[in-house]
Amino acid sequence: MPPATRGFTGRRRERTEELPPGQYRTDDFPVLSAGPTPRVDTGEWRFTITTETGSSHHWDWNGLHRLPRTEVVTDLHCVTRWSKFGTRWSGHPLDAFFASVSTSAEHALVTCYGGYTTNLPVADLLGGRAWIATGYDGEPLAPVHGGPARLLVPHLYLWKSAKWVRSLTLSTAEQLGFWEGVGYHAHGDPWREQRYAL
Protein backbone atom coordinates (compact mmCIF):
# COMPACT_ATOMS: atom_id res chain seq x y z
CA MET A 1 0.00 0.00 0.00
CA PRO A 2 1.55 3.35 -1.00
CA PRO A 3 2.11 5.88 1.77
CA ALA A 4 -0.48 8.60 2.24
CA THR A 5 0.38 12.02 0.90
CA ARG A 6 1.98 14.15 3.61
CA GLY A 7 -0.68 16.20 5.40
CA PHE A 8 -3.54 14.00 4.20
CA THR A 9 -6.09 13.50 7.01
CA GLY A 10 -9.20 12.46 5.10
CA ARG A 11 -12.31 14.49 4.45
CA ARG A 12 -12.71 17.41 6.84
CA ARG A 13 -15.84 17.18 8.94
CA GLU A 14 -15.69 20.43 10.82
CA ARG A 15 -18.02 23.20 9.70
CA THR A 16 -16.74 26.38 8.15
CA GLU A 17 -18.61 29.19 9.83
CA GLU A 18 -19.33 31.90 7.31
CA LEU A 19 -21.56 34.90 7.71
CA PRO A 20 -23.88 35.96 4.91
CA PRO A 21 -23.56 39.63 3.94
CA GLY A 22 -24.70 42.09 6.61
CA GLN A 23 -24.95 39.49 9.41
CA TYR A 24 -23.27 39.25 12.82
CA ARG A 25 -22.74 36.16 14.96
CA THR A 26 -24.65 35.54 18.20
CA ASP A 27 -24.52 32.67 20.68
CA ASP A 28 -28.00 33.55 21.99
CA PHE A 29 -31.24 32.41 20.39
CA PRO A 30 -33.30 35.63 20.16
CA VAL A 31 -37.08 35.26 20.32
CA LEU A 32 -38.89 37.30 17.67
CA SER A 33 -42.56 36.79 16.85
CA ALA A 34 -45.25 38.70 14.97
CA GLY A 35 -47.79 38.20 17.76
CA PRO A 36 -48.47 36.32 21.00
CA THR A 37 -47.11 32.81 21.50
CA PRO A 38 -49.81 30.19 20.76
CA ARG A 39 -50.03 27.26 23.19
CA VAL A 40 -50.90 24.22 21.07
CA ASP A 41 -51.56 20.91 22.81
CA THR A 42 -50.07 17.96 20.94
CA GLY A 43 -53.40 16.14 21.31
CA GLU A 44 -55.03 18.89 19.25
CA TRP A 45 -52.16 19.54 16.84
CA ARG A 46 -52.78 18.80 13.14
CA PHE A 47 -50.72 19.41 10.01
CA THR A 48 -52.39 19.56 6.59
CA ILE A 49 -51.09 19.76 3.03
CA THR A 50 -53.73 20.86 0.50
CA THR A 51 -52.84 20.55 -3.16
CA GLU A 52 -53.78 22.84 -6.03
CA THR A 53 -56.65 20.45 -6.86
CA GLY A 54 -58.11 20.69 -3.33
CA SER A 55 -56.93 17.26 -2.21
CA SER A 56 -55.98 17.31 1.51
CA HIS A 57 -53.56 15.16 3.46
CA HIS A 58 -53.58 15.26 7.29
CA TRP A 59 -51.21 14.20 10.07
CA ASP A 60 -51.94 14.29 13.79
CA TRP A 61 -49.15 14.17 16.40
CA ASN A 62 -48.99 10.36 16.36
CA GLY A 63 -49.04 10.27 12.55
CA LEU A 64 -46.22 12.81 12.47
CA HIS A 65 -44.06 10.58 14.66
CA ARG A 66 -44.61 7.58 12.39
CA LEU A 67 -42.70 9.42 9.65
CA PRO A 68 -38.90 9.21 9.32
CA ARG A 69 -37.12 11.33 11.92
CA THR A 70 -33.74 12.96 11.44
CA GLU A 71 -31.25 15.04 13.40
CA VAL A 72 -30.21 18.31 11.77
CA VAL A 73 -27.24 20.53 12.65
CA THR A 74 -27.49 23.81 10.80
CA ASP A 75 -26.87 27.54 10.90
CA LEU A 76 -29.69 30.09 11.23
CA HIS A 77 -29.74 33.55 9.68
CA CYS A 78 -32.35 36.10 10.76
CA VAL A 79 -33.33 39.05 8.59
CA THR A 80 -32.72 41.27 11.66
CA ARG A 81 -29.01 40.51 11.01
CA TRP A 82 -28.08 37.90 13.61
CA SER A 83 -26.72 34.46 12.71
CA LYS A 84 -26.44 31.47 15.04
CA PHE A 85 -24.10 28.64 14.08
CA GLY A 86 -24.43 24.90 14.71
CA THR A 87 -28.02 24.75 15.99
CA ARG A 88 -29.22 21.21 16.73
CA TRP A 89 -32.71 20.12 15.73
CA SER A 90 -34.73 16.93 15.41
CA GLY A 91 -37.68 16.57 13.11
CA HIS A 92 -39.26 15.10 10.01
CA PRO A 93 -38.17 15.94 6.46
CA LEU A 94 -40.82 17.54 4.28
CA ASP A 95 -39.90 14.95 1.63
CA ALA A 96 -41.58 12.31 3.84
CA PHE A 97 -44.86 14.25 3.83
CA PHE A 98 -44.75 14.86 0.08
CA ALA A 99 -44.20 11.14 -0.59
CA SER A 100 -47.99 10.72 -0.33
CA VAL A 101 -48.89 14.00 -2.09
CA SER A 102 -49.45 14.27 -5.83
CA THR A 103 -48.81 17.83 -7.01
CA SER A 104 -47.29 19.86 -9.81
CA ALA A 105 -47.65 23.14 -7.89
CA GLU A 106 -44.62 25.39 -7.67
CA HIS A 107 -45.75 27.55 -4.74
CA ALA A 108 -46.71 26.97 -1.11
CA LEU A 109 -48.38 29.20 1.47
CA VAL A 110 -47.59 28.20 5.04
CA THR A 111 -50.23 28.91 7.69
CA CYS A 112 -49.60 28.68 11.41
CA TYR A 113 -51.49 28.47 14.66
CA GLY A 114 -51.95 32.11 15.59
CA GLY A 115 -52.57 33.17 11.98
CA TYR A 116 -49.02 33.86 10.73
CA THR A 117 -48.34 33.04 7.07
CA THR A 118 -45.30 32.91 4.80
CA ASN A 119 -44.79 31.81 1.21
CA LEU A 120 -42.11 29.55 -0.29
CA PRO A 121 -41.38 27.83 -3.57
CA VAL A 122 -42.15 24.11 -3.25
CA ALA A 123 -38.59 23.43 -4.45
CA ASP A 124 -37.26 25.00 -1.25
CA LEU A 125 -39.23 22.48 0.82
CA LEU A 126 -37.92 19.34 -0.88
CA GLY A 127 -34.62 17.59 -1.53
CA GLY A 128 -33.58 17.48 2.13
CA ARG A 129 -33.84 21.25 2.55
CA ALA A 130 -36.77 21.58 4.99
CA TRP A 131 -38.22 19.84 8.06
CA ILE A 132 -41.09 19.93 10.51
CA ALA A 133 -38.97 20.35 13.64
CA THR A 134 -40.23 19.12 17.02
CA GLY A 135 -36.99 19.16 19.03
CA TYR A 136 -34.18 21.62 19.70
CA ASP A 137 -30.88 20.92 21.45
CA GLY A 138 -32.04 17.53 22.71
CA GLU A 139 -35.32 18.78 24.21
CA PRO A 140 -38.91 19.11 22.93
CA LEU A 141 -39.26 22.36 21.02
CA ALA A 142 -40.33 25.15 23.38
CA PRO A 143 -43.40 27.22 22.47
CA VAL A 144 -41.36 30.46 22.22
CA HIS A 145 -39.30 28.83 19.45
CA GLY A 146 -42.34 27.44 17.63
CA GLY A 147 -43.20 24.31 19.62
CA PRO A 148 -44.70 21.88 19.47
CA ALA A 149 -43.72 21.95 15.77
CA ARG A 150 -42.29 24.52 13.40
CA LEU A 151 -41.12 24.62 9.83
CA LEU A 152 -37.32 24.66 9.51
CA VAL A 153 -35.93 25.99 6.21
CA PRO A 154 -32.41 27.03 7.25
CA HIS A 155 -31.07 28.00 3.83
CA LEU A 156 -33.49 30.98 3.83
CA TYR A 157 -33.90 33.83 6.32
CA LEU A 158 -35.50 32.62 9.53
CA TRP A 159 -38.91 34.26 8.98
CA LYS A 160 -39.49 31.53 6.37
CA SER A 161 -39.07 28.86 9.11
CA ALA A 162 -42.58 29.50 10.36
CA LYS A 163 -43.28 28.80 14.03
CA TRP A 164 -46.33 26.77 15.16
CA VAL A 165 -46.84 25.35 11.67
CA ARG A 166 -50.35 24.18 10.83
CA SER A 167 -50.66 23.76 7.05
CA LEU A 168 -49.25 24.12 3.57
CA THR A 169 -51.52 25.19 0.73
CA LEU A 170 -50.03 24.43 -2.68
CA SER A 171 -50.86 26.52 -5.72
CA THR A 172 -49.80 27.36 -9.26
CA ALA A 173 -49.61 31.08 -8.43
CA GLU A 174 -47.61 32.73 -5.67
CA GLN A 175 -49.55 34.16 -2.70
CA LEU A 176 -47.58 36.47 -0.41
CA GLY A 177 -47.42 35.78 3.32
CA PHE A 178 -47.49 38.16 6.30
CA TRP A 179 -44.03 39.78 6.03
CA GLU A 180 -43.84 39.45 2.26
CA GLY A 181 -47.09 41.42 2.00
CA VAL A 182 -45.53 44.40 3.82
CA GLY A 183 -42.34 44.60 1.79
CA TYR A 184 -40.08 41.71 2.73
CA HIS A 185 -38.52 39.75 -0.12
CA ALA A 186 -40.67 36.94 -1.54
CA HIS A 187 -37.75 34.45 -1.43
CA GLY A 188 -35.38 35.50 1.37
CA ASP A 189 -31.96 34.05 0.47
CA PRO A 190 -29.45 35.36 3.08
CA TRP A 191 -26.45 34.77 0.79
CA ARG A 192 -28.01 37.12 -1.77
CA GLU A 193 -29.16 39.46 1.02
CA GLN A 194 -32.77 39.26 -0.10
CA ARG A 195 -34.20 41.15 2.86
CA TYR A 196 -36.73 43.40 1.17
CA ALA A 197 -38.62 43.53 -2.11
CA LEU A 198 -37.10 45.92 -4.63
Side-chain angles (χ1 to χ4, degrees), residues 4-198:
T5 304
R6 183 183 171 130
F8 178 79
T9 58
R11 180 176 291 172
R12 292 185 57 166
R13 296 187 183 273
E14 42 305 338
R15 300 166 55 77
T16 302
E17 296 181 349
E18 294 184 63
L19 284 168
Q23 298 292 109
Y24 68 89
R25 177 181 176 149
T26 184
D27 292 323
D28 296 327
F29 195 165
V31 175
L32 303 169
S33 300
T37 298
R39 304 290 172 170
V40 184
D41 185 271
T42 55
E44 302 297 320
W45 183 88
R46 300 289 184 275
F47 178 64
T48 302
I49 297 178
T50 304
T51 71
E52 68 275 24
T53 64
S55 174
S56 289
H57 306 262
H58 309 274
W59 294 264
D60 61 12
W61 194 249
N62 290 331
L64 171 73
H65 288 283
R66 284 193 288 269
L67 295 174
R69 186 174 179 84
T70 59
E71 302 293 319
V72 181
V73 179
T74 190
D75 304 334
L76 303 178
H77 307 293
C78 183
V79 72
T80 61
R81 300 191 181 275
W82 60 262
S83 291
K84 183 173 177 62
F85 292 105
T87 62
R88 297 179 177 274
W89 303 83
S90 57
H92 308 271
L94 260 292
D95 298 281
F97 296 88
F98 275 81
S100 61
V101 175
S102 177
T103 183
S104 59
E106 295 181 359
H107 303 281
L109 184 69
V110 182
T111 301
C112 303
Y113 290 93
Y116 177 79
T117 58
T118 190
N119 59 281
L120 297 114
V122 171
D124 282 302
L125 298 172
L126 302 177
R129 305 178 85 194
W131 298 263
I132 300 295
T134 57
Y136 176 74
D137 209 17
E139 299 291 336
L141 186 59
V144 294
H145 290 304
R150 74 177 292 161
L151 186 63
L152 179 64
V153 191
H155 66 281
L156 299 177
Y157 281 124
L158 196 55
W159 93 81
K160 296 292 188 175
S161 293
K163 297 178 182 180
W164 317 294
V165 67
R166 182 177 193 163
S167 67
L168 295 178
T169 303
L170 308 179
S171 63
T172 56
E174 185 176 52
Q175 295 177 267
L176 298 181
F178 177 84
W179 288 116
E180 298 84 1
V182 295
Y184 278 55
H185 199 280
H187 190 228
D189 183 340
W191 296 98
R192 298 173 66 187
E193 207 167 2
Q194 293 176 334
R195 298 179 194 277
Y196 308 108
L198 299 177

